[in-house]
Amino acid sequence: MRAEIIAVGTEILLGEITNTTTPFVARELADLGIDVYYQSVVGDNTARLEAAIKLADSRSDLIILTGGLGPTKDDLTKQTLAAHLNEKLVVDEPAMAYIEAFFARSQQPMTENNRLQAMLPANSIPLKNPVGMAVGALYQAPAHTYMLLPGPPSELEAMFTDSARPLLIKQFKQANVLDSRVLRFHGIGESALVTQLADLIDQQTNPTIAPYAKTNEVTLRLTAEATDQTTADQLLAELEAKVQARVGQYFYGYGEHNSLEQVVVTLLKKRGLTITAAESLTAGLFQSMLANVSGASDIFNGGFVTYSLAEKANLLQISPEYLHKYGVVSEETAIAMARQAKLLLKSDIGISFTGVAGPDKLEGQPAGTVYIGIAYRDQIPFARKFVFSRTRNFVRQQSALTGFDLLYHLLDADK
Amino acid sequence: MRAEIIAVGTEILLGEITNTTTPFVARELADLGIDVYYQSVVGDNTARLEAAIKLADSRSDLIILTGGLGPTKDDLTKQTLAAHLNEKLVVDEPAMAYIEAFFARSQQPMTENNRLQAMLPANSIPLKNPVGMAVGALYQAPAHTYMLLPGPPSELEAMFTDSARPLLIKQFKQANVLDSRVLRFHGIGESALVTQLADLIDQQTNPTIAPYAKTNEVTLRLTAEATDQTTADQLLAELEAKVQARVGQYFYGYGEHNSLEQVVVTLLKKRGLTITAAESLTAGLFQSMLANVSGASDIFNGGFVTYSLAEKANLLQISPEYLHKYGVVSEETAIAMARQAKLLLKSDIGISFTGVAGPDKLEGQPAGTVYIGIAYRDQIPFARKFVFSRTRNFVRQQSALTGFDLLYHLLDADK
């Protein structure tokens, strides 16, 4: 079983975008025990794509084509594969209904090219696109299996996880049960995590361990193969216990589609606790992440963005003398911000962020210096200092995420 | 002149590391006017690497091999290329001296494999490695040019910039000037933009037009080739005029590294105007994007996140009767929020966001219904209704971006 991944797109060939979908698919295939022997990139050019498919036919069994399913003239992956297979392009009705509904709702004109996104080679199995318009496809030829996936990483990853992976498991893994468990970690980098689990990773056979560095977090996917589900569960449980014994302090939740903010919102809802925030350097990022979790309105009514010293005084009713005395980048100010936000919104929890996003210093403190304050029910409010590095945006994101991390541990400890 | 990049490394094939060196080399070559037609990845396997080189010989003129120059057993790029070229491996004396000095200094034992790092195919031009041990090489065969570069990005980038690029310029650079101009558009999808420019795109020869869909925006890169800079500028200006005549209403700025929020912040700074926001469904996202632009504190002091009806009343001092009468998802409420935020923060501009992020309806209005209000100086405040679709997160992002778009047009009109 030899697999090959062909990424289609002139913008990859020109180096204008970094190809992150091929590594994603490669890891997923490795996880399924499918060996990838070749990866290649071709531009939006029918003749060269056709040549790449022919070459792949000569050396691979499973051929995965990514990209070129968009609505513009230079998107021609589907057409080229259909011609290669001697199949017509046919409409996938659910995809067409989705696209038509999208344009009806948004009151934008729909073009012929948009219709093309709902088409796929005849006799394919459609792969649903949960976050975009282009439908994917799995096509079984006598000697080869072809798969069409969209180029944008969010679309490809969702389609692969939801539709392509189960089909590949069914097709290539029939004898045994294959089961996975995803563990999510925050506050530890990929290399540190991998170092702590080095011997487990080196010895892996069944279950396998696959670490993935995501934005600001790391996940581990444990995958077990067994003759039945009970044995697979047991294998996963045993390996997870070993992992948790070493890096459990960084663990916050399970699942492919999960996040630290989702876990925190769920905990708050379960406990019936409300939260508010006063944000300086993060300027609304924490509250925006909170509100991105569906149902956040049960636990969140609103809060403050207090970017300047004057608005920390005005909106939060903290005396300017206090702010000048301690400085805005200080433990004392972080505590006062959290306490006042909690008080003014009559919430169970107030959280605050103040610090130096950079690139310049503030109050003599270097870029990356951040204080996060928490006022929790009747407990004494506290603040913690962090020093983050890299870009302005990274400092702000790390700050907001670390706020969620502090809340998770606070709620987890106060059961 | 056709170039091909072959990255060597099983860890890339398995998706364990993301290949960032190929895009780097691709961009550099594009910048030199050298067309990259193929990129591929092969594992640390002599037979498959040899096959990849033979394939490249059949279709490319310049063949760049990256990776596999390290000191371990699975590093075999150099050996495979030397065999393919029928050349012996010979020592590069300066590289060997560097390696010997390194081991003498660090008092570590030097192995035979380390010596191998200083070797290259006979008759090559050595490429100095300023940050590592593996020497690179340029080899000129009758019909092909081969280049060996190390895998680690820092080594490859330094070697390319210092040694490889000057050699390639000497050898291949056309007499002509190559210049690009990037135009950025918001509020129009890639397919609609391309449809409006279809004939220009079809006829393109020089300058070329390359559309790219980015997150929530589209860019067009125009690239002209000419004998001198003045002619290139003129070609670009002529094409841009045609483009602007058709889709200029969606244009907001120039440059590869730019964004709508950056353009708006720059305009606000230039005019000496301050801004604040009252955000319901976006819950801080707009303010967070504002603060992500370095120097935003000159024009932004803070604002409100008013997620619930109660906090729209409490924080913004809008009467609950008013909110109940018109509903929170209404033109009237959007206007009141913008006006009150402006008033309470004493800003020149107040902007508000209220609507239904979804997935559920609110006040009988479907998910995606959004009102954006603007109170600008002494002008009569107004609000506009939008209907966005897709996911909760997408609706919120579109809302915030559309807020920037409204501001851009407002400021652009009020010159």
Side-chain angles (χ1 to χ4, degrees):
Chain A
M1 178 64 189
R2 290 177 173 219
E4 170 154 2
I5 305 167
I6 303 174
V8 186
T10 301
E11 68 278 23
I12 301 176
L13 221 42
L14 290 172
E16 285 169 356
I17 61 170
T18 297
N19 179 4
T20 60
T21 54
T22 294
F24 173 84
V25 175
R27 281 192 304 271
E28 290 290 323
L29 294 179
D31 192 50
L32 296 175
I34 297 173
D35 293 319
V36 175
Y37 278 76
Y38 303 96
Q39 298 173 355
S40 56
V41 180
V42 286
D44 303 311
N45 176 290
T46 307
R48 284 193 287 277
L49 177 54
E50 167 69 16
I53 297 173
K54 281 196 178 136
L55 175 66
D57 280 353
S58 74
R59 62 188 188 183
S60 303
D61 309 302
L62 170 64
I63 298 156
I64 298 186
L65 297 152
T66 70
L69 305 187
T72 67
K73 281 222 181 91
D74 56 2
D75 291 305
L76 34 77
T77 307
K78 196 153 52 181
Q79 295 87 321
T80 308
L81 181 64
H84 178 76
L85 299 172
N86 219 356
E87 296 278 11
K88 289 202 167 115
L89 285 178
V90 297
V91 167
D92 177 54
E93 290 301 343
M96 188 62 88
Y98 176 85
I99 293 175
E100 285 171 349
F102 173 88
F103 281 95
R105 256 198 326 275
S106 62
Q107 302 178 336
Q108 287 174 30
M110 183 171 160
T111 67
E112 257 327 289
N113 282 333
N114 291 120
R115 284 184 190 280
L116 199 58
Q117 293 201 279
M119 301 186 83
L120 73 191
N123 301 307
S124 301
I125 301 170
L127 304 176
K128 193 169 181 284
N129 188 332
V131 291
M133 298 203 200
V135 67
L138 182 84
Y139 184 93
Q140 186 58 61
H144 300 96
T145 304
Y146 301 89
M147 185 176 276
L148 285 172
L149 297 171
S154 63
E155 297 185 24
L156 178 138
E157 292 179 17
M159 184 184 291
F160 194 95
T161 307
D162 295 357
S163 309
R165 192 171 195 271
L167 279 174
L168 289 174
I169 289 173
K170 222 165 93 185
Q171 191 149 357
F172 297 113
K173 278 280 175 186
Q174 279 153 346
N176 285 337
V177 169
L178 202 69
D179 198 21
S180 286
R181 185 176 295 185
V182 173
L183 313 183
R184 308 183 76 93
F185 301 86
H186 178 260
I188 184 170
E190 188 190 13
S191 58
L193 186 91
V194 164
T195 303
Q196 294 209 39
L197 303 173
D199 55 322
L200 295 178
I201 292 172
D202 284 349
Q203 295 156 16
Q204 64 172 314
T205 48
N206 181 30
T208 56
I209 308 179
Y212 301 109
K214 310 252 165 129
T215 313
N216 296 313
E217 62 175 319
V218 188
T219 67
L220 280 184
R221 180 192 278 170
L222 317 182
T223 304
E225 192 175 345
T227 49
D228 57 90
Q229 187 64 47
T230 315
T231 313
D233 287 343
Q234 198 178 327
L235 284 168
L236 290 174
E238 280 167 14
L239 180 59
E240 187 191 338
K242 287 182 195 166
V243 169
Q244 295 280 18
R246 301 198 192 172
V247 289
Q249 70 266 41
Y250 305 104
F251 171 81
Y252 75 82
Y254 293 99
E256 194 67 68
H257 303 289
N258 199 355
S259 66
L260 193 48
E261 52 271 35
Q262 199 163 316
V263 168
V264 168
V265 169
T266 305
L267 273 173
L268 292 172
K269 280 166 102 161
K270 210 190 277 176
R271 309 269 177 93
L273 297 171
T274 57
I275 186 166
T276 185
E279 302 187 57
S280 183
L281 86 154
T282 49
L285 183 59
F286 174 88
Q287 294 171 84
S288 177
M289 288 170 71
L290 200 62
N292 208 30
V293 181
S294 181
S297 56
D298 291 351
I299 52 100
F300 175 63
N301 291 316
F304 304 91
V305 177
T306 54
Y307 210 56
S308 68
L309 185 145
E311 292 308 333
K312 289 181 184 69
N314 174 28
L315 295 178
L316 295 173
Q317 302 174 24
I318 302 171
S319 82
E321 293 71 32
Y322 182 98
L323 293 168
H324 282 296
K325 178 174 170 193
Y326 293 109
V328 293
V329 184
S330 68
E331 189 181 351
E332 289 81 0
T333 293
I335 289 173
M337 287 170 68
R339 192 188 55 218
Q340 286 302 99
K342 172 178 180 286
L343 189 74
L344 291 165
L345 270 278
K346 300 184 183 67
S347 294
D348 297 304
I349 304 173
I351 185 166
S352 70
F353 301 84
T354 183
V356 195
D360 301 326
K361 286 188 173 195
L362 186 66
E363 296 179 348
Q365 307 221 50
T369 309
V370 175
Y371 289 89
I372 302 178
I374 293 186
Y376 176 55
R377 306 185 90 172
D378 300 331
Q379 296 183 10
I380 297 169
F382 65 94
R384 278 188 56 194
K385 180 182 178 177
F386 299 88
V387 182
F388 301 118
S389 49
R390 293 202 257 177
T391 63
R392 180 176 172 85
N393 200 4
F394 185 83
V395 169
R396 297 178 60 242
Q397 282 180 352
Q398 277 297 337
S399 302
L401 263 171
T402 303
F404 284 105
D405 197 43
L406 288 175
L407 290 169
Y408 172 73
H409 286 102
L410 179 83
L411 295 168
D412 195 51
D414 186 41
K415 274 175 191 155
Chain B
M1 178 65 188
R2 294 178 171 218
E4 171 155 2
I5 305 168
I6 303 173
V8 186
T10 300
E11 69 280 19
I12 300 176
L13 222 42
L14 290 171
E16 286 168 358
I17 62 171
T18 296
N19 179 4
T20 61
T21 54
T22 295
F24 172 84
V25 175
R27 278 192 303 274
E28 290 289 323
L29 294 179
D31 193 49
L32 296 176
I34 298 174
D35 294 320
V36 175
Y37 279 77
Y38 303 95
Q39 297 173 354
S40 56
V41 180
V42 286
D44 303 311
N45 175 291
T46 307
R48 283 193 288 275
L49 177 55
E50 167 69 14
I53 298 173
K54 280 194 179 140
L55 175 65
D57 280 352
S58 74
R59 61 187 187 184
S60 304
D61 309 304
L62 170 64
I63 299 157
I64 297 186
L65 297 151
T66 70
L69 305 187
T72 68
K73 271 200 193 125
D74 55 5
D75 291 305
L76 33 80
T77 307
K78 195 152 51 184
Q79 296 86 325
T80 308
L81 180 64
H84 177 77
L85 299 172
N86 221 356
E87 295 279 9
K88 287 202 170 118
L89 285 178
V90 297
V91 168
D92 176 56
E93 290 301 343
M96 188 63 88
Y98 177 85
I99 294 176
E100 285 172 347
F102 173 87
F103 281 96
R105 255 199 328 275
S106 63
Q107 301 181 334
Q108 287 172 28
M110 183 171 159
T111 68
E112 255 331 287
N113 281 331
N114 292 120
R115 281 183 191 283
L116 199 57
Q117 292 201 277
M119 301 184 81
L120 73 189
N123 301 308
S124 303
I125 301 170
L127 304 176
K128 194 167 182 281
N129 189 332
V131 290
M133 299 200 198
V135 68
L138 182 83
Y139 185 93
Q140 187 59 61
H144 300 94
T145 305
Y146 301 88
M147 185 177 274
L148 284 171
L149 297 171
S154 62
E155 297 184 25
L156 177 137
E157 292 177 18
M159 184 184 291
F160 193 94
T161 308
D162 295 359
S163 308
R165 195 169 192 276
L167 279 175
L168 288 174
I169 289 174
K170 225 165 87 183
Q171 194 148 357
F172 297 112
K173 177 97 170 122
Q174 296 131 325
N176 284 342
V177 170
L178 203 68
D179 197 21
S180 287
R181 185 177 297 186
V182 174
L183 313 183
R184 309 183 74 94
F185 301 87
H186 178 260
I188 184 169
E190 188 190 12
S191 57
L193 185 90
V194 165
T195 303
Q196 295 208 40
L197 303 174
D199 55 322
L200 295 178
I201 293 174
D202 284 350
Q203 294 155 13
Q204 64 173 313
T205 47
N206 182 31
T208 57
I209 308 180
Y212 300 109
K214 309 257 165 127
T215 311
N216 295 313
E217 62 174 318
V218 189
T219 66
L220 281 185
R221 178 191 277 173
L222 318 182
T223 304
E225 194 176 342
T227 48
D228 57 89
Q229 187 64 46
T230 313
T231 314
D233 285 344
Q234 198 179 326
L235 284 169
L236 290 174
E238 279 166 16
L239 180 59
E240 188 192 338
K242 288 183 195 165
V243 169
Q244 295 280 16
R246 303 202 191 169
V247 290
Q249 71 265 43
Y250 305 105
F251 171 80
Y252 74 83
Y254 294 97
E256 195 67 71
H257 303 287
N258 199 353
S259 67
L260 192 49
E261 52 270 34
Q262 200 163 312
V263 168
V264 168
V265 168
T266 304
L267 273 174
L268 291 171
K269 280 166 100 161
K270 210 190 276 178
R271 311 268 177 95
L273 297 170
T274 57
I275 186 166
T276 184
E279 301 187 57
S280 183
L281 87 156
T282 48
L285 183 59
F286 175 87
Q287 293 172 83
S288 177
M289 287 169 72
L290 201 61
N292 208 32
V293 181
S294 183
S297 57
D298 291 350
I299 52 97
F300 175 63
N301 290 317
F304 304 91
V305 178
T306 54
Y307 210 56
S308 67
L309 185 145
E311 292 309 333
K312 288 180 184 71
N314 175 29
L315 295 178
L316 294 173
Q317 303 174 25
I318 303 172
S319 83
E321 292 72 30
Y322 182 97
L323 293 168
H324 282 295
K325 179 175 169 194
Y326 294 108
V328 293
V329 185
S330 68
E331 189 182 349
E332 289 82 359
T333 294
I335 288 173
M337 287 170 68
R339 192 189 54 217
Q340 287 301 100
K342 172 178 180 283
L343 188 76
L344 292 164
L345 270 280
K346 301 185 183 67
S347 294
D348 297 303
I349 303 174
I351 185 167
S352 71
F353 300 85
T354 182
V356 195
D360 302 326
K361 287 187 172 194
L362 187 65
E363 296 179 348
Q365 308 221 48
T369 310
V370 175
Y371 288 88
I372 303 179
I374 292 187
Y376 176 56
R377 308 184 89 172
D378 300 331
Q379 296 184 9
I380 296 170
F382 66 95
R384 277 190 53 194
K385 182 183 178 177
F386 298 89
V387 183
F388 302 118
S389 50
R390 293 205 252 178
T391 63
R392 181 178 172 84
N393 199 3
F394 184 81
V395 168
R396 297 178 59 244
Q397 282 179 354
Q398 277 299 338
S399 302
L401 264 170
T402 303
F404 283 106
D405 197 43
L406 287 175
L407 291 168
Y408 172 73
H409 285 102
L410 180 83
L411 295 168
D412 195 49
D414 186 43
K415 271 175 195 158

